Amino acid sequence: MTRTAWVFPGQGSQAVGMGADIFDHPAAKQKLAQAEQILGWSVPEVCQSEDDKVSNTLYTQPCLYVVEAILVDLMQERGHQPNLVAGHSLGEYVALYTANVFDFESGLHLVKRRSELMSHASDGMMAALIGFDREQLEQQIQQTSDVVLANDNNAGQVVISGTPEAVEAVLSQVKAKRAVKLNVSGAFHSPLMADAAVEFQPVLESVAFQPAQVPVLSNVDPSPATDAAVLKERLQQQMTGSVRWREISLRLPEEGIDRVIEVGPGKVLTGLIKRTCPTLTLETVGSLADLPN
């Protein structure tokens, strides 16, 4: 019997026009109304705004959460259920929603506050490296203060995060096929987000977590968990901790998973997983047309 994992993308997967065909679906109407009440703005309007408003962190995170949560609802309505869930950074919130750890509105309140705190974070920098010597990179990070490995996506693709000086220092010392400075407001997934994490804690504490209905692989700890307190603790650590996506990918076959569905816009996660676990069957569900029967 096929065992399936659902994975949920985070920031970087958004695109103008995403979700267009699901917004008119009757099942989406209630969620969109709830979202507008919580956010004070319309998710469909932002997603379809030609000025790429959807790529501003303040809007990106809530829009991805809402679009992905609606896709989850539509999949579950058709009788589909995952055996395991995981999400990349912001995507972890959708994974927890899917596993019934919290309801849609509670998750959106968390995501709204997270996006506000992250959009106000400054004095930091992030850069992606593709095709590099991992040993050389790890050594350089150890020797440089104020920089960390923020996203370990797969063997050939990572993101470093820290102060601009520290990130520049590492980039100048490590040979890579490609190094790209990311257009973000702060040093996400690094200790420089400690103040934001402290501000986020009371909001997180105010939301009741339930035991997960299916195991969740968290960004900061890729071992399966269903315990509500453990999942909340891991989410608290996520803002300053690394996204260990390479280890999450490796864990999937270990847990008997043979099929992975990326639920959300784009194909970023299936692209990353393909390089780490080429034997897995990979699918994407980003629109109504992609929904399995």
Side-chain angles (χ1 to χ4, degrees):
M1 193 165 163
T2 305
R3 279 177 57 79
T4 303
W6 292 2
V7 297
F8 304 94
Q11 224 160 299
S13 288
Q14 74 280 357
V16 174
M18 72 175 185
D21 69 336
I22 63 169
F23 294 144
D24 292 327
H25 194 284
K29 299 285 188 196
Q30 188 190 355
K31 287 275 192 291
L32 293 171
Q34 287 174 324
E36 190 159 352
Q37 213 171 2
I38 292 166
L39 300 168
W41 45 268
S42 160
V43 168
E45 273 177 32
V46 169
C47 287
Q48 280 153 79
S49 171
E50 288 301 327
D51 61 0
D52 199 20
K53 203 173 179 179
V54 74
S55 285
N56 174 336
T57 295
L58 200 58
Y59 299 107
T60 311
Q61 298 188 32
C63 286
L64 283 171
Y65 175 84
V66 171
V67 168
E68 291 174 23
I70 291 170
L71 285 168
V72 166
D73 292 350
L74 292 170
M75 289 195 42
Q76 290 178 336
E77 259 181 30
R78 294 181 179 212
H80 299 284
Q81 287 292 352
N83 300 102
L84 192 75
V85 291
H88 192 287
S89 192
L90 176 276
E92 188 168 316
Y93 288 77
V94 191
L96 294 168
Y97 166 70
T98 305
N100 291 323
V101 173
F102 46 62
D103 61 26
F104 173 76
E105 288 175 295
S106 299
L108 187 54
H109 278 292
L110 290 175
V111 168
K112 177 178 184 276
R113 189 67 188 121
R114 181 185 194 261
S115 67
E116 289 165 354
L117 290 166
M118 287 173 83
S119 71
H120 294 144
S122 56
D123 308 328
M125 184 182 192
M126 299 180 81
L129 285 87
I130 297 154
F132 54 90
D133 181 323
R134 185 171 281 263
E135 203 176 321
Q136 185 193 27
L137 175 66
E138 286 174 353
Q139 197 175 2
Q140 205 55 48
I141 287 173
Q142 274 183 340
Q143 290 168 4
T144 313
S145 55
D146 299 324
V147 63
V148 295
L149 187 62
N151 296 7
D152 184 6
N153 288 327
N154 64 28
Q157 209 250 63
V158 299
V159 174
I160 59 172
S161 181
T163 61
E165 303 76 30
V167 171
E168 295 280 15
V170 171
L171 293 179
S172 70
Q173 296 298 318
V174 176
K175 284 182 190 160
K177 271 187 195 165
R178 233 174 118 221
V180 185
K181 291 169 193 172
L182 303 185
N183 181 21
V184 293
S185 57
F188 305 152
H189 298 293
S190 84
L192 293 180
M193 296 299 291
D195 289 348
V198 168
E199 278 193 68
F200 185 61
Q201 191 158 0
V203 190
L204 189 57
E205 286 307 322
S206 72
V207 173
F209 276 38
Q210 305 302 321
Q213 304 287 302
V214 293
V216 181
L217 302 181
S218 301
N219 286 208
V220 300
D221 187 338
S223 59
T226 55
D227 182 87
V230 168
L231 292 169
K232 185 178 272 197
E233 174 63 25
R234 288 179 178 182
L235 200 62
Q236 175 62 33
Q237 293 168 6
Q238 197 218 64
M239 214 177 259
T240 55
S242 297
V243 176
R244 294 161 62 182
W245 195 257
R246 180 177 60 90
E247 292 170 77
I248 286 174
S249 302
L250 289 167
R251 189 75 192 226
L252 297 172
E254 283 180 24
E255 296 299 319
I257 296 298
D258 31 34
R259 175 170 167 250
V260 179
I261 302 176
E262 179 170 3
V263 183
K267 300 178 178 181
V268 170
L269 299 185
T270 44
L272 295 175
I273 294 168
K274 189 177 183 179
R275 295 202 53 180
T276 309
C277 303
T279 59
L280 294 174
T281 300
L282 303 170
E283 297 169 25
T284 55
V285 173
S287 67
L288 275 182
D290 299 332
L291 285 169
N293 291 321

